[in-house]
Amino acid sequence: MKQYLDLCQRVIDEGEWVFNERTGKKCLTLINADLVYDVDQNQFPLITTRKSYWKAAIAELLGYLRGYSSAADFRALGCNTWNANANENAAWLNNPARKGEDDMGRVYGVQGRSWQKPQGGTLDQLKKIVDDLTQGKDDRGEILTFYNPGEFELGCLRPCMHTHHFSLLGGKLYLNSFQRSCDVPLGLNFNQVQVYVLLALMAQITGLEAGKAYHKIVNAHIYEDQLGLLQNVQLEREPYPLPRFEINPDIKTLKDVETWVTTDDFSVVGYQSHPAIQYPFSV
């Protein structure tokens, strides 16, 4: 929690104003931030200075791990974050690659589960990683990436959190996650939850002990219409202690994650928070 609040203050104190062409808004921007999550100590990085809808973040992660390409599939899991990008993004609506309502194109999990090979066929990055880690193997390239510049025009949005690199050391599983762009007031808590849960979940289905998760953010920003709420409301609140996170122990394989797992298989224990804050969302 302290890391989150410190980053908010850093962006305010050190950031520079930049005009964002996609959204048509100015944003206070900081380059480079590093966050660390103690998954091994079960210190769940959930925001307490406003109510966090953590289940939606996990639902989105499950959709990525399943390779979903439709906002309707994400909604069925309990995540509405792709509705606007799939159906209200003018550039995507006019893109001939769009297949119709709710289509997201080849974004995020589509790349992770079915990366197109030049010679034909696809590569399932996630399955390769799970298979290796289950055997206790780390080839220094256990990397899940959603960032495919050759297919940017085939999707509604370039990935923000684009790469996850898993490593084995001393019998523990570690994760380094890389994010090119981060909406700090609105999106960061989603991203924090997803990095933490991804490591915890991958450790469980590969039979490994979780270590720490390292979260690198390149461009951290606060939009002009968010700044007042962040400064005058959220940063004025005292944080509560961090809660604990639990995963259904019956989740044992990647197949489980692909087929029957829902957000009800995850729980947060001891979560206290201040009231929700309705930050503006920029499409």
Side-chain angles (χ1 to χ4, degrees):
M1 186 66 221
K2 184 177 185 299
Q3 292 182 95
Y4 172 87
L5 296 175
D6 286 349
L7 177 55
C8 290
Q9 196 60 54
R10 267 194 69 203
V11 178
I12 292 170
D13 294 341
E14 303 173 25
E16 297 183 19
W17 285 107
V18 174
F19 178 77
N20 182 257
E21 187 174 345
R22 180 177 65 86
T23 61
K25 299 178 183 179
K26 290 193 306 178
C27 46
L28 204 53
T29 302
L30 176 79
I31 301 300
N32 194 54
D34 292 283
L35 305 172
V36 182
Y37 312 129
D38 296 320
V39 184
D40 51 349
Q41 301 297 319
N42 203 345
Q43 294 288 308
F44 193 45
L46 197 60
I47 296 304
T48 64
T49 48
R50 65 173 173 85
K51 184 176 177 60
S52 176
Y53 299 96
W54 57 270
K55 280 198 171 188
I58 295 178
E60 185 176 55
L61 177 63
L62 289 175
Y64 293 162
L65 298 181
R66 292 175 178 177
Y68 285 167
S69 63
S70 171
D73 289 332
F74 280 89
R75 286 198 300 275
L77 284 172
C79 173
N80 290 301
T81 56
W82 283 97
N83 294 342
N85 281 310
N87 299 308
E88 299 175 24
N89 182 333
W92 179 237
L93 292 177
N94 293 317
N95 190 318
R98 185 174 184 265
K99 298 175 182 178
E101 186 177 0
D102 285 326
D103 180 44
M104 297 157 47
R106 291 189 56 78
V107 298
Y108 281 88
V110 178
Q111 301 291 349
R113 302 307 308 269
S114 58
W115 183 284
Q116 292 181 345
K117 297 181 179 181
Q119 68 273 29
T122 60
L123 170 68
D124 188 337
Q125 299 179 64
L126 181 60
K127 186 178 185 303
K128 179 265 183 189
I129 295 168
V130 170
D131 288 347
D132 280 357
L133 295 177
T134 301
Q135 299 171 44
K137 176 183 175 182
D138 174 8
D139 65 7
R140 300 180 184 175
E142 307 300 344
I143 298 172
L144 175 68
T145 185
F146 307 141
Y147 206 79
N148 186 350
E151 294 193 346
F152 282 164
E153 73 278 8
L154 301 181
C156 64
L157 184 71
R158 290 180 299 164
C160 294
M161 183 130 61
H162 57 81
T163 301
H164 303 280
H165 187 167
F166 297 90
S167 303
L168 277 174
L169 184 65
K172 287 187 176 183
L173 182 64
Y174 294 83
L175 174 61
N176 290 75
S177 293
F178 303 89
Q179 186 168 357
R180 67 170 180 87
S181 175
C182 181
D183 179 332
V184 173
L186 188 61
L188 178 54
N189 194 219
F190 248 57
N191 304 133
Q192 290 180 296
V193 167
Q194 289 170 345
V195 171
Y196 184 104
V197 173
L198 180 58
L199 177 55
L201 183 58
M202 286 287 282
Q204 181 162 311
I205 66 175
T206 57
L208 296 166
E209 182 182 350
K212 297 185 186 300
Y214 301 93
H215 184 181
K216 164 74 76 177
I217 301 169
V218 176
N219 184 304
H221 50 266
I222 300 167
Y223 283 100
E224 56 186 327
D225 53 6
Q226 299 171 332
L227 185 58
L229 283 171
L230 181 65
Q231 282 185 299
N232 302 322
V233 180
Q234 188 167 358
L235 290 181
E236 292 296 314
R237 295 171 171 177
E238 286 295 319
Y240 293 106
L242 291 178
R244 292 182 295 109
F245 181 70
E246 295 180 353
I247 302 176
N248 181 348
D250 291 334
I251 303 174
K252 300 180 185 298
T253 66
L254 179 57
K255 190 70 173 178
D256 292 338
V257 175
E258 293 169 337
T259 54
W260 57 264
V261 173
T262 72
T263 56
D264 291 336
D265 292 295
F266 305 88
S267 59
V268 173
V269 180
Y271 181 47
Q272 291 178 280
S273 76
H274 291 271
I277 298 173
Q278 298 299 318
Y279 282 111
F281 175 66
S282 299
V283 179

